[in-house]
Every structure is written in structure tokens, then in C-alpha cells.
Short mmCIF file of all heavy atoms in Angstrom, two decimals:
data_model
loop_
_atom_site.label_atom_id
_atom_site.label_comp_id
_atom_site.label_asym_id
_atom_site.label_seq_id
_atom_site.Cartn_x
_atom_site.Cartn_y
_atom_site.Cartn_z
N CYS A 1 16.88 1.95 -3.64
CA CYS A 1 16.66 1.45 -2.27
C CYS A 1 16.62 2.60 -1.28
O CYS A 1 15.78 2.62 -0.38
CB CYS A 1 17.74 0.45 -1.88
SG CYS A 1 17.57 -1.14 -2.70
N ASN A 2 17.53 3.56 -1.42
CA ASN A 2 17.55 4.71 -0.50
C ASN A 2 16.27 5.52 -0.60
O ASN A 2 15.71 5.95 0.40
CB ASN A 2 18.75 5.61 -0.79
CG ASN A 2 20.06 4.98 -0.35
OD1 ASN A 2 20.07 4.12 0.53
ND2 ASN A 2 21.16 5.39 -0.95
N ASN A 3 15.78 5.74 -1.84
CA ASN A 3 14.54 6.49 -2.01
C ASN A 3 13.35 5.74 -1.44
O ASN A 3 12.45 6.34 -0.86
CB ASN A 3 14.32 6.80 -3.49
CG ASN A 3 15.05 8.06 -3.92
OD1 ASN A 3 14.84 9.12 -3.35
ND2 ASN A 3 15.91 7.94 -4.91
N MET A 4 13.34 4.40 -1.59
CA MET A 4 12.24 3.61 -1.03
C MET A 4 12.25 3.69 0.49
O MET A 4 11.22 3.84 1.13
CB MET A 4 12.34 2.16 -1.49
CG MET A 4 11.92 1.96 -2.93
SD MET A 4 11.80 0.23 -3.37
CE MET A 4 13.50 -0.23 -3.47
N ARG A 5 13.46 3.60 1.08
CA ARG A 5 13.54 3.68 2.54
C ARG A 5 13.05 5.03 3.05
O ARG A 5 12.34 5.12 4.05
CB ARG A 5 14.99 3.45 2.99
CG ARG A 5 15.41 2.00 2.89
CD ARG A 5 16.76 1.77 3.56
NE ARG A 5 17.12 0.38 3.49
CZ ARG A 5 17.86 -0.16 2.55
NH1 ARG A 5 18.31 0.60 1.57
NH2 ARG A 5 18.16 -1.45 2.55
N GLN A 6 13.46 6.11 2.36
CA GLN A 6 13.03 7.45 2.78
C GLN A 6 11.52 7.58 2.71
O GLN A 6 10.89 8.15 3.60
CB GLN A 6 13.70 8.50 1.89
CG GLN A 6 15.19 8.64 2.13
CD GLN A 6 15.86 9.48 1.08
OE1 GLN A 6 15.20 10.10 0.26
NE2 GLN A 6 17.19 9.51 1.09
N GLU A 7 10.90 7.05 1.65
CA GLU A 7 9.46 7.20 1.49
C GLU A 7 8.70 6.36 2.49
O GLU A 7 7.67 6.77 3.02
CB GLU A 7 9.06 6.82 0.06
CG GLU A 7 9.54 7.84 -0.96
CD GLU A 7 8.87 7.64 -2.30
OE1 GLU A 7 8.32 6.55 -2.54
OE2 GLU A 7 8.90 8.57 -3.10
N ILE A 8 9.21 5.15 2.77
CA ILE A 8 8.51 4.28 3.71
C ILE A 8 8.63 4.82 5.13
O ILE A 8 7.69 4.77 5.92
CB ILE A 8 9.05 2.84 3.60
CG1 ILE A 8 8.59 2.25 2.27
CG2 ILE A 8 8.57 1.98 4.75
CD1 ILE A 8 9.17 0.90 1.96
N ARG A 9 9.81 5.37 5.48
CA ARG A 9 9.97 5.91 6.83
C ARG A 9 9.19 7.20 7.02
O ARG A 9 8.72 7.50 8.10
CB ARG A 9 11.46 6.14 7.10
CG ARG A 9 12.20 4.83 7.36
CD ARG A 9 13.69 5.02 7.39
NE ARG A 9 14.36 3.74 7.58
CZ ARG A 9 15.66 3.55 7.39
NH1 ARG A 9 16.42 4.54 7.01
NH2 ARG A 9 16.19 2.36 7.57
N GLY A 10 9.08 8.00 5.96
CA GLY A 10 8.23 9.19 6.02
C GLY A 10 6.83 8.79 5.64
O GLY A 10 6.56 7.64 5.32
N ASN A 11 5.92 9.71 5.70
CA ASN A 11 4.55 9.40 5.31
C ASN A 11 4.22 10.06 3.99
O ASN A 11 3.28 10.82 3.88
CB ASN A 11 3.57 9.86 6.40
CG ASN A 11 3.63 8.98 7.62
OD1 ASN A 11 3.63 7.75 7.51
ND2 ASN A 11 3.71 9.58 8.79
N THR A 12 5.04 9.77 2.98
CA THR A 12 4.89 10.46 1.71
C THR A 12 4.48 9.53 0.59
O THR A 12 4.58 9.89 -0.57
CB THR A 12 6.22 11.14 1.32
OG1 THR A 12 7.24 10.14 1.24
CG2 THR A 12 6.61 12.18 2.35
N LEU A 13 4.05 8.31 0.90
CA LEU A 13 3.68 7.41 -0.18
C LEU A 13 2.40 7.88 -0.86
O LEU A 13 1.50 8.40 -0.22
CB LEU A 13 3.47 5.98 0.37
CG LEU A 13 4.74 5.34 0.92
CD1 LEU A 13 4.47 3.90 1.31
CD2 LEU A 13 5.85 5.35 -0.12
N PRO A 14 2.34 7.72 -2.19
CA PRO A 14 1.22 8.29 -2.96
C PRO A 14 -0.03 7.42 -2.93
O PRO A 14 -0.30 6.66 -3.84
CB PRO A 14 1.81 8.36 -4.38
CG PRO A 14 2.76 7.20 -4.42
CD PRO A 14 3.34 7.09 -3.04
N PHE A 15 -0.82 7.51 -1.86
CA PHE A 15 -2.05 6.73 -1.78
C PHE A 15 -3.16 7.37 -2.61
O PHE A 15 -3.22 8.58 -2.76
CB PHE A 15 -2.53 6.64 -0.32
CG PHE A 15 -1.56 5.91 0.56
CD1 PHE A 15 -0.88 6.57 1.55
CD2 PHE A 15 -1.30 4.56 0.35
CE1 PHE A 15 0.02 5.90 2.35
CE2 PHE A 15 -0.41 3.89 1.15
CZ PHE A 15 0.25 4.56 2.15
N CYS A 16 -4.02 6.53 -3.13
CA CYS A 16 -5.25 6.98 -3.77
C CYS A 16 -5.02 7.91 -4.95
O CYS A 16 -5.80 8.84 -5.16
CB CYS A 16 -6.19 7.63 -2.75
SG CYS A 16 -6.76 6.45 -1.53
N GLY A 17 -3.97 7.69 -5.68
CA GLY A 17 -3.77 8.48 -6.89
C GLY A 17 -4.72 8.05 -7.99
O GLY A 17 -5.02 8.81 -8.89
N GLN A 18 -5.19 6.79 -7.92
CA GLN A 18 -6.13 6.28 -8.90
C GLN A 18 -7.28 5.60 -8.15
O GLN A 18 -7.10 5.09 -7.07
CB GLN A 18 -5.43 5.27 -9.82
CG GLN A 18 -4.30 5.90 -10.63
CD GLN A 18 -3.58 4.85 -11.45
OE1 GLN A 18 -3.93 3.68 -11.44
NE2 GLN A 18 -2.57 5.29 -12.18
N PRO A 19 -8.48 5.60 -8.74
CA PRO A 19 -9.66 5.07 -8.04
C PRO A 19 -9.50 3.63 -7.56
O PRO A 19 -9.96 3.28 -6.49
CB PRO A 19 -10.76 5.16 -9.11
CG PRO A 19 -10.31 6.24 -10.03
CD PRO A 19 -8.82 6.16 -10.05
N GLU A 20 -8.77 2.78 -8.36
CA GLU A 20 -8.69 1.38 -7.96
C GLU A 20 -7.83 1.16 -6.72
O GLU A 20 -7.81 0.08 -6.16
CB GLU A 20 -8.13 0.53 -9.12
CG GLU A 20 -6.72 0.89 -9.54
CD GLU A 20 -6.71 1.87 -10.69
OE1 GLU A 20 -7.61 2.71 -10.76
OE2 GLU A 20 -5.80 1.78 -11.53
N PHE A 21 -7.12 2.20 -6.28
CA PHE A 21 -6.27 2.06 -5.11
C PHE A 21 -6.82 2.82 -3.90
O PHE A 21 -6.09 3.19 -3.01
CB PHE A 21 -4.85 2.55 -5.42
CG PHE A 21 -4.16 1.72 -6.46
CD1 PHE A 21 -3.88 2.23 -7.71
CD2 PHE A 21 -3.82 0.41 -6.18
CE1 PHE A 21 -3.24 1.46 -8.67
CE2 PHE A 21 -3.18 -0.37 -7.13
CZ PHE A 21 -2.89 0.16 -8.37
N CYS A 22 -8.12 3.06 -3.88
CA CYS A 22 -8.69 3.88 -2.81
C CYS A 22 -9.52 3.07 -1.81
O CYS A 22 -10.26 3.65 -1.03
CB CYS A 22 -9.56 5.00 -3.39
SG CYS A 22 -8.57 6.24 -4.26
N SER A 23 -9.41 1.76 -1.84
CA SER A 23 -10.26 0.95 -0.97
C SER A 23 -9.76 0.92 0.47
O SER A 23 -10.50 0.54 1.37
CB SER A 23 -10.33 -0.49 -1.50
OG SER A 23 -9.04 -1.06 -1.53
N TYR A 24 -8.50 1.32 0.70
CA TYR A 24 -7.93 1.19 2.04
C TYR A 24 -7.82 2.57 2.69
O TYR A 24 -6.79 3.20 2.69
CB TYR A 24 -6.56 0.54 1.93
CG TYR A 24 -6.02 0.02 3.24
CD1 TYR A 24 -6.72 -0.93 3.98
CD2 TYR A 24 -4.80 0.49 3.74
CE1 TYR A 24 -6.20 -1.41 5.17
CE2 TYR A 24 -4.29 0.00 4.93
CZ TYR A 24 -4.99 -0.95 5.64
OH TYR A 24 -4.48 -1.42 6.83
N GLU A 25 -8.91 3.08 3.16
CA GLU A 25 -8.94 4.42 3.73
C GLU A 25 -8.64 4.38 5.24
O GLU A 25 -8.81 3.37 5.90
CB GLU A 25 -10.33 5.06 3.52
CG GLU A 25 -10.69 5.23 2.05
CD GLU A 25 -9.87 6.30 1.36
OE1 GLU A 25 -9.18 7.05 2.06
OE2 GLU A 25 -9.92 6.36 0.13
N LYS A 26 -8.25 5.54 5.78
CA LYS A 26 -7.98 5.64 7.21
C LYS A 26 -9.29 5.84 7.98
O LYS A 26 -9.55 6.89 8.54
CB LYS A 26 -7.03 6.81 7.49
CG LYS A 26 -5.63 6.63 6.91
CD LYS A 26 -4.78 7.82 7.28
CE LYS A 26 -3.37 7.67 6.73
NZ LYS A 26 -2.54 8.82 7.08
N THR A 27 -10.11 4.82 8.00
CA THR A 27 -11.38 4.89 8.70
C THR A 27 -11.56 3.65 9.53
O THR A 27 -10.81 2.68 9.42
CB THR A 27 -12.56 5.00 7.71
OG1 THR A 27 -12.61 3.79 6.95
CG2 THR A 27 -12.39 6.17 6.77
N GLU A 28 -12.60 3.65 10.38
CA GLU A 28 -12.87 2.49 11.20
C GLU A 28 -13.25 1.28 10.38
O GLU A 28 -13.14 0.15 10.83
CB GLU A 28 -14.01 2.82 12.20
CG GLU A 28 -13.61 3.83 13.26
CD GLU A 28 -12.43 3.36 14.11
OE1 GLU A 28 -12.43 2.18 14.52
OE2 GLU A 28 -11.51 4.14 14.32
N SER A 29 -13.70 1.50 9.14
CA SER A 29 -14.15 0.38 8.33
C SER A 29 -13.02 -0.60 8.03
O SER A 29 -13.26 -1.78 7.82
CB SER A 29 -14.74 0.88 7.00
OG SER A 29 -13.73 1.53 6.25
N ARG A 30 -11.77 -0.13 8.06
CA ARG A 30 -10.67 -1.02 7.73
C ARG A 30 -10.47 -2.07 8.82
O ARG A 30 -9.87 -3.12 8.59
CB ARG A 30 -9.38 -0.25 7.50
CG ARG A 30 -8.72 0.27 8.75
CD ARG A 30 -7.44 1.01 8.40
NE ARG A 30 -6.79 1.47 9.63
CZ ARG A 30 -5.79 2.30 9.65
NH1 ARG A 30 -5.31 2.77 8.54
NH2 ARG A 30 -5.24 2.68 10.77
N ILE A 31 -10.97 -1.80 10.05
CA ILE A 31 -10.85 -2.77 11.12
C ILE A 31 -11.67 -4.01 10.79
O ILE A 31 -11.34 -5.12 11.19
CB ILE A 31 -11.32 -2.15 12.47
CG1 ILE A 31 -10.39 -0.98 12.82
CG2 ILE A 31 -11.32 -3.17 13.57
CD1 ILE A 31 -10.82 -0.22 14.05
N GLN A 32 -12.75 -3.83 10.03
CA GLN A 32 -13.60 -4.95 9.67
C GLN A 32 -13.02 -5.77 8.53
O GLN A 32 -13.51 -6.85 8.22
CB GLN A 32 -15.00 -4.42 9.27
CG GLN A 32 -15.66 -3.53 10.32
CD GLN A 32 -15.79 -4.22 11.67
OE1 GLN A 32 -16.12 -5.40 11.71
NE2 GLN A 32 -15.53 -3.49 12.74
N GLU A 33 -11.96 -5.25 7.88
CA GLU A 33 -11.38 -5.97 6.76
C GLU A 33 -10.70 -7.24 7.23
O GLU A 33 -10.08 -7.29 8.29
CB GLU A 33 -10.35 -5.06 6.06
CG GLU A 33 -9.77 -5.64 4.80
CD GLU A 33 -8.85 -4.65 4.11
OE1 GLU A 33 -8.54 -3.63 4.72
OE2 GLU A 33 -8.45 -4.92 2.98
N SER A 34 -10.83 -8.32 6.47
CA SER A 34 -10.20 -9.58 6.83
C SER A 34 -8.70 -9.48 6.61
O SER A 34 -8.24 -9.36 5.47
CB SER A 34 -10.79 -10.71 5.96
OG SER A 34 -10.17 -11.93 6.27
N VAL A 35 -7.94 -9.49 7.69
CA VAL A 35 -6.50 -9.34 7.59
C VAL A 35 -5.82 -10.69 7.82
O VAL A 35 -6.41 -11.62 8.36
CB VAL A 35 -5.96 -8.31 8.62
CG1 VAL A 35 -6.59 -6.96 8.38
CG2 VAL A 35 -6.20 -8.78 10.03
N SER A 36 -4.56 -10.78 7.38
CA SER A 36 -3.79 -12.00 7.57
C SER A 36 -2.32 -11.66 7.48
O SER A 36 -1.94 -10.51 7.27
CB SER A 36 -4.16 -13.04 6.51
OG SER A 36 -3.67 -12.63 5.24
N LYS A 37 -1.47 -12.66 7.63
CA LYS A 37 -0.03 -12.47 7.51
C LYS A 37 0.44 -12.54 6.07
O LYS A 37 1.61 -12.31 5.77
CB LYS A 37 0.72 -13.53 8.33
CG LYS A 37 0.46 -13.46 9.83
CD LYS A 37 1.32 -14.44 10.59
CE LYS A 37 0.89 -15.88 10.31
NZ LYS A 37 1.66 -16.84 11.16
N ARG A 38 -0.48 -12.86 5.16
CA ARG A 38 -0.12 -13.08 3.76
C ARG A 38 -0.74 -12.00 2.87
O ARG A 38 -1.89 -11.61 3.07
CB ARG A 38 -0.61 -14.46 3.33
CG ARG A 38 -0.05 -14.95 2.00
CD ARG A 38 -0.47 -16.38 1.75
NE ARG A 38 0.05 -17.28 2.76
CZ ARG A 38 -0.38 -18.52 2.95
NH1 ARG A 38 -1.36 -18.99 2.21
NH2 ARG A 38 0.16 -19.27 3.88
N LEU A 39 0.04 -11.54 1.89
CA LEU A 39 -0.41 -10.48 0.99
C LEU A 39 -0.24 -10.93 -0.46
O LEU A 39 0.65 -11.71 -0.78
CB LEU A 39 0.42 -9.21 1.20
CG LEU A 39 0.42 -8.58 2.59
CD1 LEU A 39 1.50 -7.50 2.66
CD2 LEU A 39 -0.93 -7.99 2.92
N SER A 40 -1.10 -10.39 -1.31
CA SER A 40 -0.88 -10.55 -2.76
C SER A 40 -0.48 -9.20 -3.32
O SER A 40 -0.94 -8.15 -2.85
CB SER A 40 -2.15 -11.05 -3.45
OG SER A 40 -3.11 -10.02 -3.55
N VAL A 41 0.39 -9.21 -4.31
CA VAL A 41 0.88 -7.99 -4.94
C VAL A 41 0.61 -8.09 -6.44
O VAL A 41 1.04 -9.04 -7.10
CB VAL A 41 2.39 -7.79 -4.70
CG1 VAL A 41 2.84 -6.46 -5.30
CG2 VAL A 41 2.70 -7.84 -3.22
N LEU A 42 -0.12 -7.12 -6.97
CA LEU A 42 -0.43 -7.07 -8.39
C LEU A 42 0.21 -5.83 -9.01
O LEU A 42 0.26 -4.76 -8.38
CB LEU A 42 -1.94 -7.02 -8.62
CG LEU A 42 -2.73 -8.30 -8.28
CD1 LEU A 42 -4.22 -8.02 -8.35
CD2 LEU A 42 -2.36 -9.41 -9.24
N SER A 43 0.68 -5.96 -10.24
CA SER A 43 1.34 -4.86 -10.93
C SER A 43 1.07 -4.96 -12.42
O SER A 43 0.95 -6.05 -12.97
CB SER A 43 2.85 -4.93 -10.67
OG SER A 43 3.55 -4.10 -11.57
N ARG A 44 0.95 -3.80 -13.07
CA ARG A 44 0.79 -3.81 -14.53
C ARG A 44 2.07 -4.25 -15.24
O ARG A 44 2.03 -4.74 -16.35
CB ARG A 44 0.39 -2.41 -15.02
CG ARG A 44 -1.02 -1.99 -14.63
CD ARG A 44 -1.40 -0.71 -15.35
NE ARG A 44 -0.51 0.39 -15.04
CZ ARG A 44 -0.68 1.21 -14.01
NH1 ARG A 44 -1.71 1.04 -13.21
NH2 ARG A 44 0.16 2.20 -13.79
N LEU A 45 3.21 -4.05 -14.56
CA LEU A 45 4.50 -4.41 -15.14
C LEU A 45 5.11 -5.59 -14.37
O LEU A 45 4.87 -5.73 -13.17
CB LEU A 45 5.46 -3.22 -15.08
CG LEU A 45 5.04 -1.95 -15.84
CD1 LEU A 45 6.07 -0.86 -15.63
CD2 LEU A 45 4.88 -2.24 -17.33
N PRO A 46 5.90 -6.42 -15.02
CA PRO A 46 6.55 -7.53 -14.31
C PRO A 46 7.65 -7.02 -13.39
O PRO A 46 8.20 -5.94 -13.59
CB PRO A 46 7.13 -8.37 -15.46
CG PRO A 46 7.34 -7.40 -16.56
CD PRO A 46 6.23 -6.39 -16.46
N PHE A 47 7.96 -7.79 -12.35
CA PHE A 47 9.05 -7.44 -11.45
C PHE A 47 9.82 -8.73 -11.13
O PHE A 47 9.30 -9.83 -11.29
CB PHE A 47 8.56 -6.77 -10.16
CG PHE A 47 7.27 -7.31 -9.63
CD1 PHE A 47 7.16 -8.62 -9.16
CD2 PHE A 47 6.12 -6.52 -9.59
CE1 PHE A 47 5.96 -9.11 -8.67
CE2 PHE A 47 4.92 -7.02 -9.10
CZ PHE A 47 4.85 -8.32 -8.64
N SER A 48 11.05 -8.57 -10.68
CA SER A 48 11.87 -9.73 -10.37
C SER A 48 11.74 -10.08 -8.89
O SER A 48 11.32 -9.25 -8.07
CB SER A 48 13.34 -9.45 -10.69
OG SER A 48 13.89 -8.53 -9.76
#
């Protein structure tokens, strides 16, 4: 939890390490993305 808090508060999260995670770039195009209050989370491994 402490490591997650440190990473989220800093700007050190590992974005775009793999091609499938590169769709959300810091460009004006993201403004056109359909946003909402709800998110889906996908993972190769199960989580609780």
C-alpha cells in the first residue's frame, strides 16, 4: 500500500511499457475519448 501511494502521488507509473497499453497518450485526442464515471479493469492474473 505504501509503495502504491508513493507511485500514485509521484508521476512514476510505468505507462506504455507494452503496445496494448499505449492508447491513452498525453495528446488532445484523449479529449475526444468517451469518458464516464465507470471503469473496467482487465488483468492477466486474478485479483481479490
Side-chain angles (χ1 to χ4, degrees):
C1 287
N2 287 337
N3 275 304
M4 285 189 287
R5 286 190 178 93
Q6 289 169 9
E7 289 193 342
I8 289 174
R9 285 170 182 166
N11 287 314
T12 59
L13 295 185
F15 297 112
C16 295
Q18 297 176 1
E20 62 266 33
F21 295 112
C22 291
S23 61
Y24 195 59
E25 298 290 348
K26 294 182 179 180
T27 65
E28 291 301 315
S29 64
R30 75 179 182 191
I31 297 175
Q32 306 303 319
E33 185 176 10
S34 179
V35 300
S36 70
K37 297 186 291 185
R38 193 174 298 166
L39 301 169
S40 74
V41 184
L42 290 171
S43 165
R44 291 190 300 273
L45 299 178
F47 37 65
S48 72

